[in-house]
Amino acid sequence: MANRYWVLGTGTWDSTSTTNWSTSSGGAGGASVPTASDNVFFDANSNVLATAFTVTMATSTRFCNDFTASGLDGAMTLAGASIGLAVSGSLFWPATNFTRTYTGLTTFRATTTGKTITTNGVAFGAVTFDGVGGGWSLGSALSCTTLTLTNGTLDLAGYTATLSLRLTTLTGTKNLTFNGGTILCTNTSATAFNNGAPINFTTTAGTGTGVISMTSASAKTFVGGGSTFNCTLNQGGAGALTITDSNTFSNITNTVQPASIIFTAGTTNTFTNFNLAGTAGNLITIGSATAASHTLSKASGTVSSDFLSISRSTATGGAGWYAGANSTNGGNNSGWIFTAPPSGSNSNFLMFF
Amino acid sequence: MTMKIDFSFSSQYGTFSDALHLPDDHGLSDEQIEAMKQQRFDNWIFVITAPPTEEV
């Protein structure tokens, strides 16, 4: 493993040119092009005086171990047309003087844990986590178009990851750890959250409450894949939220109303807590995607909702499912009680007499 | 050396949690740091309210 420092300002980071690479900060150029095991640095000595400079990635995917841009005294642009960046270690982008314009895929491919990703408000395009045994923690919020989990553990570490297109899982052993962080899927799509490869996909709550929020104002789909989500799934946009497959959730909530939550008929979704509720004149609609019933299951306690419109829904599992006195029975329901819960009962608490 | 400043904003879209990593000798005033936090939040709102565009 070696260190490579960018020098002499604007230049091309391709597979052959050594002009802009040095073995020391501000040193002479001519060092070899960094490999996947080399750390690359962009700092106050990377440019000429304090001028702006552009590093254009070219040829093919550029590789490095750690990528560190820090202490820049001129505006740096990391550019490249459909050229990816593959990082084997950690990544740090500074809060100022840094712009990303490259349009290729950013791949994090560490195979050990303890890596950090700090983007300081700079958005990625498409991002993939694909390192067997790798572990990455966010050092700040993350924004990207697509986020693909293939191998390794991504720890949100309490921060917000915002995906403007989708989250996808691919075949591999992958984990999403929340530690109070949030995945925000903003797109209108049948694959806004697409757990397409649920085998060996796990989630970990960690400390605090993790959230996956689907915020599009138009229809969107949560492809659960039958996994266990140790987090809250939130209906966060006015567009109908379709939930496919038989999944397990820590909680389900809504932060907008009116809105719909549509389950695939024939599925059973299991909840530790169930906190969907509308308001007067703004109902939360619970239904099935087709003309058959779905099942909602909660093992114990009391569901205490109100202002719901429910149809084709079987509520079961052992909990008391109280839809509330202001909810509407749309028909073909089972297990729902269309009254408020008995006085003294409280969601998620056991009662002792 | 850098310092980390965690911050969060609540909105109708949920809580936005982020961090500013700044050099220890950043020289920024409290007002400038608050403005940077607000800019991050404004950028986030822009992203989640803008129509998505496919990027290769």
Side-chain angles (χ1 to χ4, degrees), chain A residues 51-68:
Chain A
T51 57
F53 67 109
T54 298
V55 177
T56 302
M57 300 189 295
T59 309
S60 59
T61 297
R62 298 294 86 207
F63 292 89
C64 65
N65 186 47
D66 289 346
F67 184 111
T68 305

Side-chain angles (χ1 to χ4, degrees), chain A residues 82 92 95-96 100 102-104 118 120-121 125 139-141 143 145 158-160 162 164-166 184 186-187 215 255, chain B residues 2 4 6-7 12-23 28 36 40 43-44 47-50 52-56:
Chain A
S82 300
F92 184 93
T96 57
R100 174 206 67 89
Y102 70 88
T103 55
T118 304
N120 256 319
S140 63
S143 182
T145 55
Y159 296 113
T160 303
T162 305
S164 62
L165 290 177
R166 71 188 67 87
L184 205 72
T186 70
N187 196 14
T215 64
T255 49
Chain B
T2 61
K4 183 176 78 160
D6 284 315
F7 64 96
Q12 62 177 306
Y13 305 103
T15 300
F16 173 64
S17 297
D18 198 359
L20 278 169
H21 294 250
L22 298 169
L28 299 169
M36 292 177 77
R40 292 273 189 95
N43 290 344
W44 180 70
V47 167
I48 62 178
T49 57
T53 55
E54 194 81 35
E55 185 169 354
V56 178

Side-chain angles (χ1 to χ4, degrees), chain A residues 1-3 34-40 63-66 86 88-89 109:
Chain A
M1 179 182 298
N3 293 335
T35 67
S37 61
D38 295 333
N39 301 317
V40 298
F63 292 89
C64 65
N65 186 47
D66 289 346
S88 300
R109 50 201 297 273

Side-chain angles (χ1 to χ4, degrees), chain A residues 6-234:
Chain A
W6 187 265
V7 294
L8 301 175
T10 293
T12 300
W13 178 3
D14 61 15
S15 60
T16 58
S17 176
T18 62
T19 302
N20 297 95
W21 292 113
S22 175
T23 57
S24 62
S25 176
S32 60
V33 175
T35 67
S37 61
D38 295 333
N39 301 317
V40 298
F41 297 89
F42 304 84
D43 61 15
N45 294 317
S46 289
N47 50 344
V48 179
L49 299 177
T51 57
F53 67 109
T54 298
V55 177
T56 302
M57 300 189 295
T59 309
S60 59
T61 297
R62 298 294 86 207
F63 292 89
C64 65
N65 186 47
D66 289 346
F67 184 111
T68 305
S70 181
L72 300 167
D73 62 1
M76 172 182 167
T77 299
L78 186 60
S82 300
I83 298 295
L85 175 64
V87 179
S88 300
S90 297
L91 177 141
F92 184 93
W93 288 348
T96 57
N97 279 333
F98 186 87
T99 302
R100 174 206 67 89
T101 63
Y102 70 88
T103 55
L105 173 68
T106 304
T107 303
F108 292 97
R109 50 201 297 273
T111 54
T112 58
T113 59
K115 309 306 179 188
T116 57
I117 300 168
T118 304
T119 53
N120 256 319
V122 179
F124 285 115
V127 177
T128 290
F129 293 87
D130 187 8
V132 175
W136 306 268
S137 295
L138 297 186
S140 63
L142 183 149
S143 182
C144 61
T145 55
T146 67
L147 190 157
T148 302
L149 291 174
T150 304
N151 282 293
T153 295
L154 173 61
D155 183 353
L156 302 180
Y159 296 113
T160 303
T162 305
L163 321 179
S164 62
L165 290 177
R166 71 188 67 87
L167 184 148
T168 303
T169 62
L170 296 180
T171 300
T173 301
K174 56 274 181 186
N175 170 271
L176 183 59
T177 295
F178 290 91
N179 277 316
T182 298
I183 293 280
L184 205 72
C185 299
T186 70
N187 196 14
T188 299
S189 169
T191 55
F193 186 101
N194 184 16
N195 183 19
I199 296 174
N200 292 324
F201 172 58
T202 56
T203 61
T204 302
T207 302
T209 301
V211 178
I212 298 173
S213 189
M214 311 290 286
T215 64
S216 176
S218 300
K220 63 270 187 182
T221 299
F222 181 93
V223 178
S227 291
T228 295
F229 295 90
N230 292 300
C231 64
T232 294
L233 176 63
N234 181 58

Side-chain angles (χ1 to χ4, degrees), chain A residues 158-339:
Chain A
Y159 296 113
T160 303
T162 305
L163 321 179
S164 62
L165 290 177
R166 71 188 67 87
L167 184 148
T168 303
T169 62
L170 296 180
T171 300
T173 301
K174 56 274 181 186
N175 170 271
L176 183 59
T177 295
F178 290 91
N179 277 316
T182 298
I183 293 280
L184 205 72
C185 299
T186 70
N187 196 14
T188 299
S189 169
T191 55
F193 186 101
N194 184 16
N195 183 19
I199 296 174
N200 292 324
F201 172 58
T202 56
T203 61
T204 302
T207 302
T209 301
V211 178
I212 298 173
S213 189
M214 311 290 286
T215 64
S216 176
S218 300
K220 63 270 187 182
T221 299
F222 181 93
V223 178
S227 291
T228 295
F229 295 90
N230 292 300
C231 64
T232 294
L233 176 63
N234 181 58
Q235 162 57 302
L241 171 61
T242 298
I243 300 171
T244 71
D245 306 309
S246 296
N247 313 292
T248 299
F249 298 95
S250 298
N251 196 1
I252 186 167
T253 60
N254 62 284
T255 49
V256 296
Q257 56 280 320
S260 297
I261 294 96
I262 307 299
F263 296 91
T264 302
T267 61
T268 297
N269 280 275
T270 303
F271 304 89
T272 304
N273 299 295
F274 189 95
N275 288 296
L276 294 176
T279 59
N282 298 293
L283 303 184
I284 293 295
T285 298
I286 297 174
S288 289
T290 55
S293 293
H294 65 269
T295 299
L296 307 177
S297 180
K298 180 178 180 327
S300 61
T302 300
V303 172
S304 179
S305 294
D306 209 355
F307 297 105
L308 304 178
S309 176
I310 308 169
S311 59
R312 297 192 176 93
S313 184
T314 297
T316 187
W321 289 82
Y322 291 88
N326 298 292
S327 291
T328 301
N329 186 344
N332 297 301
N333 295 310
S334 173
W336 283 99
I337 304 165
F338 286 84
T339 66

Side-chain angles (χ1 to χ4, degrees), chain A residues 302 304 322 339-347 351 353:
Chain A
T302 300
S304 179
Y322 291 88
T339 66
S343 177
S345 68
N346 196 345
S347 177
M351 296 178 66
F353 296 93

